[in-house]
Each structure stands twice: as structure tokens, then as C-alpha cells.
Amino acid sequence: MSDSWRPDLGRAAGPVYLAIAEAIAADLAAGRLAPGERLPPQRTLAQHLGIDFTTVSRAYAEARRRGLVEGRVGQGTYVRAAEPPAPRAGPVDLSMNLPPHFEDAALTARMWREAGELQATGLDLLLRYQEAGGALADREAGALWLRDRLPGLDPERITVCPGAQSALLAVIGTLAAPGEIICAEALTYPGLKALAAQLRLTVIGLAMDAEGVLPEAFAAACRDHAVKALCCTPTLQNPTTATMSLARREALVAIARDHAVPIVEDDAYGLLPQDSPPPLAALAPELTFHIAGLAKHVSPALRIAYLIAPDSRSGARVRAAIRATAAMASPLTAAIATGWITSGVAHQVRDAIRAEARARQRLAARLLPAGSFAAHPDGFHLWLTLPTAWTRGEFAIQLRASGMGVVVSDAFATVAGPPEAVRIGLGGPGSRAQIERALAAIADTLDGAPVMTSAAV
């Protein structure tokens, strides 16, 4: 309560009631009055200023007219709380494959609180380097995080990496030299394509079906070429959302064993589904480099991934590559990840992301034409196949003209002639209301025909 508030009218010119209203505005802007604060009763202020009660009453009425204060029956006059700006329609980015925002204020507060508690560890965390493979506590946290996917995992086998992309670079760079060949899905993660181009590798794109890579395509590549690695995402594949069955995984593992081809398993989404087949690293630990990042499950900001190599020798080579390119994973972000995993917060965040993804997938199922897209109920992207009236380029241009961005199939293609399809990320928009509006607009666009826009000129 601000019964003690007094306006400074010493230099005021003009009517006194206007000067009081101006003083309220000035003190609010300067922070001397706070939104929601109570002003002195009108008679009290009139007595203090030595002016008529009606002058103060008129001043408060003027302040109400300006939206500075509000009267509450039986309580007095209060500085008006600032109203949030009305939401503005703006671009909706559906191109980034981000985990969706969840609405759990208590969990969010706990994440920040536990991150802040790291200050108790002192300066060593901030002013010291760590070994390239990560501190023991961080590797133990990685084993805890992966215990459902890889039970009994020895922390000594884990390398803590500065993100999954860094882990991919380190692994593939140790397996293949410039000019050599790796295999990947015909539609694969764009980061793998960029990495292969940087390392000057040849990528053979393997034909796919609804489960992912076809075993016969992999077998043919191994027979015809000196393949240095198979790179794939067996669970919630990006972009197609395909998940390999256990039988498919076993078939690919058998071929890799026959031809002594290492497997690079990008398990970016492996812990999102509540029930999925075991990872390739569980079926063929002697062949598989398993990469489990936290970006899709917990936070893209952490840039932490856990890499499990087939043996100590290959693990040492990967750590040497990390030391040469990135020195180490950030000890600060690794410590945050470790804290969240050991306290259970990371699992709660994963569950909250999964629940929000499910809600958004239900919106997609309701708003988009049945059978037009592939998706997984626990994932936060979908693969939309376009009707014959549309090409992928025309569709993307049309959506861009409406303020929406999607990714066309060309970005993922490792073979010629990619399909007329686009990836839609459901996690980018901050709210379900935003994604609902975006999906409704996409459904309307699908119903129409291509229209020439200025973006296409």
C-alpha cells in the first residue's frame, strides 16, 4: 500500500488535477510506483497537498481515463497492472525439429533451480578443463540415462560429446577417409549429408520402406562397394518417422556382420517412444557406435550426447577426434545434464515432452487429411506426402507466403528424384493454439491448387 506516495507538484504548470495525473504517469515510468500498488485515499492526499477533495477526485478520474489506475469497489484506487501485449500473427516455423514446449511451471522452475545449485561446486567447474571423454560422474549419468536402452552399460565405455553432431563427426571421421563410401537412408538427417560433404565422403543412399532401410539394398551396397559404415536412425527416423521392427534390425545386423561393416546408430529419438525394439547396439555391440543425444529428449541447449563405442580402441580413437576438433564437451552443460539425470528431472522433462508431442500429434490427425502423412504418436515431426496437384517446391512457396516454413524432401535426399513430400516439425510453435492454426492452414492449402506468388517470380 502506498498511502505515503506524494506527487511532486512544485514545477507543475496548468490545472492541479492534470499535474497529479502526470505525476502518477511519471512515477510509474520511473519505478517509484509499481503496477498493482494502492494509491493514497483521496481525502488523505487532499489534506497532505492542502487542496480540495474534488481536485484529487478529478485527478484520479483523469488517471483512470488514461489507463494508469483502476478503482476497486470498497478497496480504493490502484495503479493498473500492465496488460500483456495482444498476440500478433507472425511467421510459424515448422522447419526446425525441436522438442515442443510443455506447460509445467513447477518442472520448469525445478530445472532452473537445480541448474543454479551448481554454484556450490565452486570454481573448478568454471576454470578447469576436463578429459575429452568426460568426467566419471558425467559418464555414470550417461549410463543411468541409457539403462533402459542398454542395460548394464559400463560407464567406462561412454564418451561424453559436445552434441550428437560432434559425435557423428568424430565417429565417421575415424571410420572413413576422403573419397571413401558410407551408406545411409535414401532420405536422411541433413546434418549427416553436411558432415559427409565436409569430410569429402561418398554417400550411397539405401532404398527404404515404412520400416526404414531395406536389407537387400544394404546387402547390394556391401557386395558392390567397399562400404566403411552404415549410418542410420532406427527409431523415429528423420524425416520419415519410420521405426524398424526387431526383425528388420536383426536382418541389418546380420548383413553388417557378414561384411564387417561398422554401424553408426543415431538414436536421437530412441527414448521418446514408451515401447520400441532394442537399439542396434544391444544386438551387435561389437559393431555399433551408438550415439544418444539429449537434444530431442531434454534440451537442445545442453549440446550433450553419450557415445558408446564397440571397444576401448575405437573409443580412444573417437576421444582423440573430439579432442582435436572440440577439445571436450562443456563441463558446465555436462554437469547440468548429470544433475538433471541423477535427480530424475531429465526423465520428467522427457515425459512432459512426450505428452505434449502426443497432444500435437492428435491435432495433426484431426486436422490433416487421413493417410496423407506418416507419424509416430510419441514423435514431434511428421512426413507429409503431397497430392498430385502439388510439387514440393510449389507447396513450400505457398506456405512461406502464408508465413509458414517447412522442409522439402530435397534437404534429406541422398538419391536422385526425391519424393513430393515435406517434413513438418510440430515442436517449433510455442503453443498448441499456434500449431492448430498452422495445421488448419496447411490442410486448407492441400485442398487448394498452386497459386503463383511474388515469392515464385
Side-chain angles (χ1 to χ4, degrees):
M1 177 173 170
S2 289
D3 282 0
S4 60
W5 177 77
R6 302 290 183 264
D8 181 6
L9 305 179
R11 300 179 183 177
V16 173
Y17 83 93
L18 289 179
I20 294 173
E22 293 289 347
I24 292 172
D27 285 358
L28 180 59
R32 292 185 287 271
L33 280 174
E37 208 168 348
R38 181 181 168 182
L39 292 177
Q42 296 176 28
R43 290 190 185 280
T44 301
L45 187 59
Q47 290 172 0
H48 175 79
L49 295 176
I51 59 177
D52 188 79
F53 167 82
T54 57
T55 301
V56 177
S57 179
R58 193 176 178 189
Y60 280 18
E62 174 64 18
R64 279 196 298 274
R65 187 189 69 80
R66 298 185 186 186
L68 300 173
V69 301
E70 59 184 0
R72 301 178 187 174
V73 177
Q75 298 182 51
T77 302
Y78 288 77
V79 177
R80 191 168 184 176
E83 296 183 356
R88 296 186 301 169
V92 179
D93 188 7
L94 306 174
S95 63
M96 294 297 290
N97 206 22
L98 301 170
H101 283 195
F102 52 84
E103 295 184 6
D104 188 333
L107 179 55
T108 302
R110 188 178 172 193
M111 293 170 72
W112 282 113
R113 184 175 67 252
E114 291 193 7
E117 289 170 357
L118 288 174
Q119 63 183 316
T121 61
L123 279 176
D124 276 358
L125 183 62
L126 301 177
L127 298 182
R128 294 291 181 270
Y129 288 106
Q130 292 184 1
E131 58 184 294
L136 176 59
D138 299 329
R139 288 183 274 118
E140 290 174 338
L144 177 62
W145 177 249
L146 295 173
R147 67 181 177 183
D148 292 335
R149 298 286 279 158
L150 296 169
L153 179 61
D154 183 352
E156 292 299 324
R157 292 187 58 206
I158 296 176
T159 297
V160 182
C161 303
Q165 186 71 9
S166 176
L168 281 169
L169 175 64
V171 170
I172 296 173
T174 63
L175 294 176
E180 293 185 325
I181 293 170
I182 62 172
C183 288
E185 300 102 334
L187 296 163
T188 194
Y189 163 55
L192 178 62
K193 292 177 58 179
L195 183 155
Q198 181 71 21
L199 295 176
R200 301 195 301 279
L201 305 177
T202 298
V203 179
I204 294 179
L206 302 178
M208 305 171 66
D209 63 6
E211 287 192 23
V213 170
L214 290 170
E216 53 268 31
F218 179 40
C222 291
R223 285 194 307 269
D224 298 340
H225 304 280
V227 175
K228 295 299 181 179
L230 167 66
C231 304
C232 61
T233 303
T235 303
L236 281 178
Q237 198 264 346
N238 179 15
T240 67
T241 78
T243 293
M244 295 181 187
S245 66
L246 177 58
R248 177 64 57 88
R249 295 170 194 238
E250 289 174 337
L252 290 174
V253 162
I255 297 165
R257 282 196 175 114
D258 286 345
H259 294 274
V261 174
I263 299 170
V264 182
E265 180 178 32
D266 184 0
D267 208 31
Y269 309 90
L271 284 164
L272 284 177
Q274 284 194 308
D275 185 23
S276 64
L280 300 178
L283 302 176
E286 79 284 5
L287 281 177
T288 306
F289 292 82
H290 182 86
I291 299 170
L294 295 182
K296 310 301 183 184
H297 299 99
V298 183
S299 169
L302 288 180
R303 310 309 304 153
I304 292 295
Y306 303 109
L307 166 64
I308 298 88
D311 51 54
S312 58
R313 181 181 178 187
S314 56
R317 292 177 64 195
V318 168
R319 285 190 292 276
I322 290 174
R323 190 161 44 244
T325 55
M328 61 181 178
S330 162
L332 181 59
T333 53
I336 293 173
T338 294
W340 285 352
I341 290 170
T342 54
S343 73
V345 163
H347 292 82
Q348 291 181 35
V349 171
R350 186 271 319 274
D351 292 347
I353 288 171
R354 178 195 289 150
E356 182 63 26
R358 286 179 174 176
R360 297 187 181 205
Q361 289 287 0
R362 287 193 294 270
L363 287 174
R366 176 168 61 84
L367 294 168
L368 297 179
S372 65
F373 65 93
H376 188 287
D378 293 331
F380 41 78
H381 70 282
L382 55 85
W383 185 239
L384 180 68
T385 301
L386 301 175
T388 54
W390 289 98
T391 66
R392 56 195 183 274
E394 289 171 331
F395 190 74
I397 289 171
Q398 193 75 27
L399 291 184
R400 189 160 61 245
S402 301
M404 289 178 285
V406 295
V407 186
V408 298
S409 57
D410 304 70
F412 310 96
T414 57
V415 295
E420 300 296 348
V422 298
R423 189 194 69 186
I424 297 175
L426 302 179
S431 69
R432 292 182 199 174
Q434 281 183 307
I435 193 64
E436 184 170 14
R437 288 193 296 270
L439 290 170
I442 289 173
D444 289 342
T445 304
L446 287 169
D447 281 342
V451 177
M452 179 66 72
T453 68
S454 59
V457 175

